[in-house]
Every structure is written in C-alpha cells, then in structure tokens.
C-alpha cells in the first residue's frame, strides 16, 4: 500500500475539503473515496448472454457540529459539486438531532502501520475479454460433459473487481489501499425421469490466478447436481445433522450478526449479556482476523482508520468479544474492536472481516461415518432465523446418512432448532476450513436437530 496509489481524488484534496468544512463551523469530519472497476460475463450453452464492465467512483463526506452529525455522498468529484456537497452536509448536520456517542476516534487510536496483505492482482490486467469469457465457457463445458443427464445449464459466470479506497479524517488519519477479487462459477441442470435438479460450484479468490481451474469447478458442479437426482423427503424426526463446510459458514455468520455491537446495544440479539459465558461447545473456537494475506475479508485498517488486528470471538465455546466500531463501543461503554466497516454512502457500522471457526481434527468422511442415521445438509433455503431469540428454521436439501454412509438425496424438508442450542451441541469439527472465504467454517456435526418432512 502506498500513498502514491493512482486515485483521482488525492489526500491533499480531501484535507482541503475538511478544512473548508471547519471554516464553516464543523468540529470534525471524515472523507472516504471508493473507486471501483467491475467486469462480469455470463455464458449459457456456449453463448455469451451478458457482459459488462463498469467503472464507478463515490465520495462520502461526514461532518460533526458538536454532538450533531450528517453524512452525504456524490459521484461527481468536480469542484462545484463538492462545494454544493459541503454546504448541504453542513446544513444537514446543524439541524440533526444531538447524539453524544457520534464522533471520530481519538488520534492516538489510529493505525500507524499497515500490514502487507497482497490484496492486488497483478495478473488480472493481462487477461483479455476473450480469455475471461473462455474461463466461463470452459467451466460450463466441463460440467455438461460429465454425464448425458446434464443437458442444460443456468450458465457459467466469471467476474472480477478492482477497487481503491482513500480515507482521511480531520484529526489526523490518512490511508489508502487497493484490493481485487475474482470469481468463477457454473450452475448445471440435470434431468432424470422428467424431474430436473440444479446445483453449483464456484471459486472466489483475491487473485484470478489462484482460482480453481474451470474444469475442476465444472466437474464439482456436475457431481453436486447429479447427486441430487431422485431426491425424496423423509419422516419427521430428531437426528444428528452434518453441515457441509459450504453451508456451515452461514451457521457461524449468524453468530457474527448476533455479536455486532449494534444488535447488542439495541437489545436485539440472543447474545445480549452473554459475554464471557459459554455459548457453544468446547470444540468451537472462532476468531476474526483482517490481517490474513490474500483473504477476501482482509483490510489494512478498519472503516475508521483503526489498526487491523486478530481477535478471539469464541474460545473453546466461551464468548470473548463483541464486534464493535467506535459508536457501538461508546454505547456499550467499551473500546472499538477495530471492526468498523463502511461504504462511501454510509457511516461506519460494526462488521466482521475474516470470521473463521478454527478447524478440528476430523475429515468429512470421518464425521459422516460417525452417524448411524442422520442428515448431511448441502444447501439451505430461506431465512427463517430470529436473531433476538435464536430460533432457526430453514428449508434444506442434502443426502441421508445410514450406518455411516451417504445413501439417497433428500429434499423438501425443514431443519429446525435454536442457535443457542445448536452451537452448544456442535459435537465434531472438521479439518476442511477454507480460509480464503471471509466467513467460513469446516464441516460441522450437531448432535441432534429436528428434521421436518412428511
């Protein structure tokens, strides 16, 4: 990261705009500028259906007048537009309701060193548009070649994004960084006895050169689709549930949402008053780490300029830390955990970075073999989660387990429980964590949950 990054809005220009705000009465403020270049192409049955390449920029200005504050944003960075933005923001801030918890971090809290996180992609610029389209076509072709029952497709997709962030505050912080990401996916459709099934596979990385090969992605998508053919429902019963790593990440994503300082101070989380209490089994340790090189959730500083650092969220099942920005921390009487996230058009809020459940010692096969009769969940449907109570009910598909073996596909069932019970009943943790994903867990076995079928 360097302050000489090719930004079309410089640190000097940001500082000048903040000084103008102070001359109009502002007691503090900050500016975030986000510039992005996004490419996407979708192919279906060897034909390009969509292709786009969009470049955008946005500047967000937040100003404080004592205990009052307001934020505005614009994509027009001309002098006349910024003068209008400045006057509008000042006017809004003067009439905003007072809130004693608003404000910038103290200068001594800001990051002064930025970790090298390998967030740029030196290879993406060398790929031509034809080569990008070819990646998507190769993934789809590889999927459809696996089995004659795979005769249709929802398409292959290749996309990438490059962006730059500039953040400047009136009390001394300046920082910039660049980041990239690339993704390749395919969704084949299989038909058997007049019934169709679809599934998918994808690879998403910081660097395009680190993506799985199109052929590997296509074959995995095909295998996942074929194993869903002939799906049936099961009788309603309580059984062990094994969450495939692909869906287990979502399970701990609910915990990240519940640990947000905003949910806590609003008394709208099942984790209220649970700090330093046991909320999960001893097999569960979760950290949030924005300093992992190459990982999609990494960042050299948070959305308020505070240092990026690894922090323990759960240690052997004990809840150790909320996820806080400065505002939610003040509301709870706690320091920020450096978890502020923001865009150019929104003020800071609390969020996770690389939120990972520490892998255990079991392979996925070992976990499945431990189940006499149960359900291996490969996809979840719907959003039946109450973050206040922890009640959990979602549609699910997957494979039924009998005597430690995957037997037949299951569909049209619902799995239900309560997240507080589910976390405490995590019995086995797999060794297959994918640390490249921002919210991730390995394969997990929950000792018992309700499966509602017929």
């Amino acid at each position: 990261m360097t302050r000489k990054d090719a930004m079309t809005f410089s640190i000097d220009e940001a500082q000048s705009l903040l000084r103008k705000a102070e001359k109009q009465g502002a007691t503090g403020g900050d500016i975030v500028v986000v510039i992005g270049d996004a490419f996407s192409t979708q192919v279906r049955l060897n034909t390009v259906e969509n292709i786009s390449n969009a470049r955008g920029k946005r500047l967000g200005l937040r100003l404080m007048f004592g205990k009052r504050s307001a934020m505005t944003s614009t994509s027009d960075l001309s002098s006349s537009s910024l003068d209008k933005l400045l006057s509008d923001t000042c006017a809004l801030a003067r009439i905003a309701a007072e809130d004693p918890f608003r404000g910038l971090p103290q200068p001594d809290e800001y990051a002064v060193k930025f970790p090298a996180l390998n967030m740029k992609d030196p290879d993406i610029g060398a790929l031509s548009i034809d080569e990008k389209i070819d990646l998507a076509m190769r993934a789809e072709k590889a999927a459809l070649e696996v089995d004659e029952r795979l005769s249709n497709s929802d398409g292959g997709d290749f996309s990438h994004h490059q962006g730059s962030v500039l953040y400047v505050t009136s009390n001394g912080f300046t920082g910039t960084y660049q980041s990239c990401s690339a993704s390749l996916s395919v969704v084949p459709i299989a038909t058997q006895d007049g019934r169709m099934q679809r599934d998918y596979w994808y690879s998403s990385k910081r660097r395009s050169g680190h993506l799985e090969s199109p052929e590997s992605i296509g074959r995995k998508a095909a295998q996942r689709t074929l194993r869903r053919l002939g799906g049936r429902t099961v009788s309603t019963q309580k059984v062990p549930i094994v969450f495939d790593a692909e869906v287990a990440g979502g399970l701990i994503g609910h915990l990240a949402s519940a640990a947000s300082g905003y949910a806590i101070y609003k008394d709208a989380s099942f984790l209220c008053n649970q700090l330093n209490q046991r909320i999960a089994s001893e097999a569960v340790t979760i950290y949030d780490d924005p300093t992992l090189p190459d990982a999609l959730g990494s960042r050299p500083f948070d959305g308020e300029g505070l240092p990026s650092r690894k922090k323990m969220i759960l240690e052997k099942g004990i809840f150790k830390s909320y996820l806080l920005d400065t505002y939610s921390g003040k509301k709870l009487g706690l320091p920020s955990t450096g978890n502020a996230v923001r865009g150019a058009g929104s003020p800071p809020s609390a969020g996770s970075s690389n939120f990972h459940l520490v892998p255990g010692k079991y392979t996925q096969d070992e976990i499945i073999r431990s189940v006499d009769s149960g359900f291996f969940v490969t996809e979840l449907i719907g959003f039946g989660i109450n973050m206040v109570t922890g009640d959990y009910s979602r549609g699910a598909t997957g494979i039924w387990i009998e005597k430690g073996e995957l037997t037949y596909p299951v569909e049209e069932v619902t799995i239900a429980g309560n997240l507080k019970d589910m976390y405490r009943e995590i019995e086995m943790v797999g060794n297959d964590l994918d640390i490249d994903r921002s919210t991730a867990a390995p394969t997990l076995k929950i000792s018992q949950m309700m499966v509602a079928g017929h």
Side-chain angles (χ1 to χ4, degrees):
M1 190 192 65
T2 168
R3 294 182 183 184
K4 295 180 181 179
D5 289 337
M7 304 287 290
T8 59
F9 195 81
S10 69
I11 291 173
D12 289 343
E13 289 173 299
Q15 291 172 330
S16 174
L17 189 59
L18 290 171
R19 284 195 295 271
K20 287 182 181 179
E22 289 176 341
K23 289 178 180 176
Q24 295 191 31
T27 55
D30 60 8
I31 288 173
V32 59
V33 182
V34 179
I35 298 176
D37 188 352
F39 173 89
S40 176
T41 183
Q42 292 87 40
V43 305
R44 180 175 174 273
L45 301 179
N46 206 36
T47 300
V48 177
E49 288 206 328
N50 290 293
I51 186 166
S52 65
N53 198 165
R55 181 171 174 80
K57 58 188 176 186
R58 197 155 191 87
L59 180 148
L61 173 65
R62 183 173 59 140
L63 295 177
M64 295 92 187
F65 282 68
K67 297 177 183 177
R68 306 176 192 273
S69 70
M71 180 167 183
T72 55
S73 66
T74 181
S75 58
D76 182 355
L77 305 189
S78 65
S79 297
S80 58
S81 170
L82 294 178
D83 287 343
K84 179 69 166 55
L85 186 79
L86 177 59
S87 62
D88 288 349
T89 313
C90 289
L92 290 171
R94 288 190 185 99
I95 62 172
E98 288 192 352
D99 186 339
F101 300 103
R102 297 289 179 195
L104 300 171
Q106 295 301 308
D108 61 359
E109 297 180 278
Y110 288 131
V112 293
K113 295 181 179 178
F114 306 115
L117 300 175
N118 299 327
M119 294 170 64
K120 295 193 289 186
D121 184 355
D123 304 323
I124 196 67
L127 284 176
S128 67
I129 291 177
D130 286 344
E131 288 171 322
K132 296 171 186 176
I133 294 171
D134 185 58
L135 289 171
M137 286 192 168
R138 284 167 54 194
E140 184 189 48
K141 182 173 183 290
L144 298 183
E145 285 180 345
V146 169
D147 190 288
E148 62 182 10
R149 291 171 293 179
L150 294 156
S151 57
N152 201 351
S153 166
D154 254 357
D157 183 300
F158 174 79
S159 62
H160 69 82
H161 176 269
Q162 302 179 84
S164 297
V165 174
L166 162 68
Y167 182 59
V168 177
T169 72
S170 61
N171 63 348
F173 179 81
T174 62
T176 71
Y177 64 87
Q178 292 182 309
S179 66
C180 293
S181 63
S183 178
L184 179 61
S185 65
V186 64
V187 185
I189 298 173
T191 304
Q192 179 175 287
D193 300 328
R195 296 185 65 186
M196 293 189 292
Q197 288 287 357
R198 53 156 289 283
D199 211 319
Y200 68 94
W201 191 245
Y202 73 99
S203 178
S204 186
K205 306 285 184 181
R206 277 285 182 200
R207 301 184 184 194
S208 56
H210 293 177
L211 292 172
E212 287 183 52
S213 73
E215 288 72 25
S216 172
I217 293 169
R219 286 192 294 269
K220 287 182 181 178
Q223 291 158 2
R224 288 169 59 91
T225 302
L226 290 170
R227 72 182 182 181
R228 293 179 63 159
L229 289 169
R232 48 178 145 151
T233 189
V234 294
S235 60
T236 298
Q237 56 194 296
K238 267 191 170 182
V239 291
I241 300 282
V242 178
F243 285 86
D244 186 18
E246 181 65 19
V247 293
L251 200 61
I252 69 160
H254 303 318
L255 193 144
S257 299
S260 163
Y262 285 76
I264 299 294
Y265 81 69
K266 292 175 182 174
D267 201 22
S269 167
F270 63 88
L271 291 181
C272 287
N273 304 313
Q274 295 298 305
L275 207 57
N276 297 314
Q277 302 296 310
R278 175 169 299 284
I279 65 164
S281 78
E282 286 195 7
V284 179
T285 292
I286 296 174
Y287 61 81
D288 185 71
D289 187 0
T291 68
L292 292 175
D294 294 326
L296 289 171
S298 297
R299 56 200 178 214
F301 51 84
D302 84 342
E304 295 179 301
L306 270 60
S308 288
R309 60 183 175 84
K310 181 178 180 178
K311 64 196 71 69
M312 196 67 73
I313 307 301
L314 262 73
E315 186 172 17
K316 295 183 177 180
I318 306 298
F319 185 31
K320 290 293 186 180
S321 177
Y322 302 132
L323 299 172
L324 303 173
D325 64 345
T326 298
Y327 181 81
S328 61
K330 287 180 179 177
K331 293 284 281 187
L332 294 168
L334 296 168
S336 170
T337 57
N339 280 94
V341 294
R342 68 182 300 181
S346 58
S349 61
S352 57
S353 58
N354 298 302
F355 196 81
H356 293 164
L357 194 154
V358 174
K361 60 182 180 181
Y362 302 103
T363 66
Q364 187 177 89
D365 287 344
E366 289 173 330
I367 294 175
I368 290 170
R369 281 200 296 271
S370 75
V371 177
D372 184 55
S373 179
F375 188 20
F376 177 53
V377 176
T378 60
E379 185 173 355
L380 293 164
I381 305 162
F383 302 95
I385 301 127
N386 185 325
M387 297 305 293
V388 178
T389 64
D391 288 341
Y392 181 96
S393 178
R394 301 188 68 181
T397 61
I399 314 290
W400 198 254
I401 305 170
E402 286 290 350
K403 300 187 183 306
E405 299 288 341
L406 297 176
T407 55
Y408 54 85
V410 173
E411 60 184 10
E412 297 179 2
V413 299
T414 299
I415 59 172
N418 185 284
L419 287 170
K420 292 179 286 189
D421 299 328
M422 292 162 64
Y423 295 140
R424 290 191 185 99
E425 293 176 10
I426 291 175
E427 187 178 290
M428 298 175 76
V429 176
N431 61 3
D432 50 352
L433 177 71
D434 181 356
I435 64 170
D436 286 329
R437 299 185 182 187
S438 54
T439 300
T443 299
L444 299 175
K445 177 187 175 186
I446 293 178
S447 56
Q448 274 206 332
M449 281 183 69
M450 180 64 73
V451 178
H454 58 74

